[in-house]
């Protein structure tokens, strides 16, 4: 686990997001091979207090940088708001936010639960794609 956190911190160095990861040269945000999926897995691990703070900060960063539509970028710096799939966009991030609301944010559950609901509504606004299932 230390290697995963160390790698995330190293790539995030000098960035606004506490943890960042690359897959084939891109900093993806989705559930398949991006921030949402990695944060989801990290929430199942026994983390040190500073590592928990990095996960929280990464989730807050993602929420802060979601599109006004409620969807999420497919990768860091992307301005395209067209991918609404489990692997890219609101569907995968929603699953991670629900888990965060239950696992690491029980005191502020309502905030993350509301963010997850907002993302869920976004999925249906864009019409659920077969790729999401």
């Amino acid at each position: 686990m230390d290697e995963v956190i160390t790698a995330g911190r190293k790539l995030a160095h000098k960035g606004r997001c506490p943890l960042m990861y690359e897959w084939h040269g891109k900093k993806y945000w989705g559930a398949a091979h991006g921030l949402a999926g990695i944060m989801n897995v990290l929430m199942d691990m026994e983390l040190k207090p500073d590592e928990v703070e990095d996960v929280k900060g990464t989730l807050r960063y993602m929420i802060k940088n979601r599109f006004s539509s409620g969807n999420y970028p497919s990768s860091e710096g992307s301005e395209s708001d067209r991918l609404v799939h489990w692997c890219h966009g609101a569907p995968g991030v929603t699953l991670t936010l629900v888990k965060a609301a239950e696992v690491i944010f029980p005191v502020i559950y309502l905030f993350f639960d509301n963010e997850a609901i907002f993302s869920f509504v976004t999925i249906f606004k864009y019409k659920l794609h077969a790729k999401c299932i």
Side-chain angles (χ1 to χ4, degrees), residues 27-93:
K27 297 174 182 173
Y28 288 109
W29 278 37
H33 41 248
L35 280 178
I38 294 167
M39 295 306 106
N40 201 312
V41 170
L42 287 175
M43 286 186 279
D44 281 332
M45 303 295 134
E46 190 171 321
L47 300 174
K48 298 171 192 161
D50 63 317
E51 295 169 344
V52 171
E53 289 306 311
D54 283 348
V55 170
K56 288 179 182 179
T58 300
L59 293 171
R60 287 185 186 112
Y61 173 82
M62 293 175 75
I63 290 168
K64 182 181 174 190
N65 289 285
R66 72 170 145 77
F67 295 123
S68 60
S69 67
N71 195 23
Y72 287 82
S74 60
S75 60
E76 184 72 6
S78 174
E79 295 182 17
S80 175
D81 184 8
R82 62 183 182 83
L83 296 176
V84 186
H85 307 297
W86 170 79
C87 53
H88 300 291
V93 175

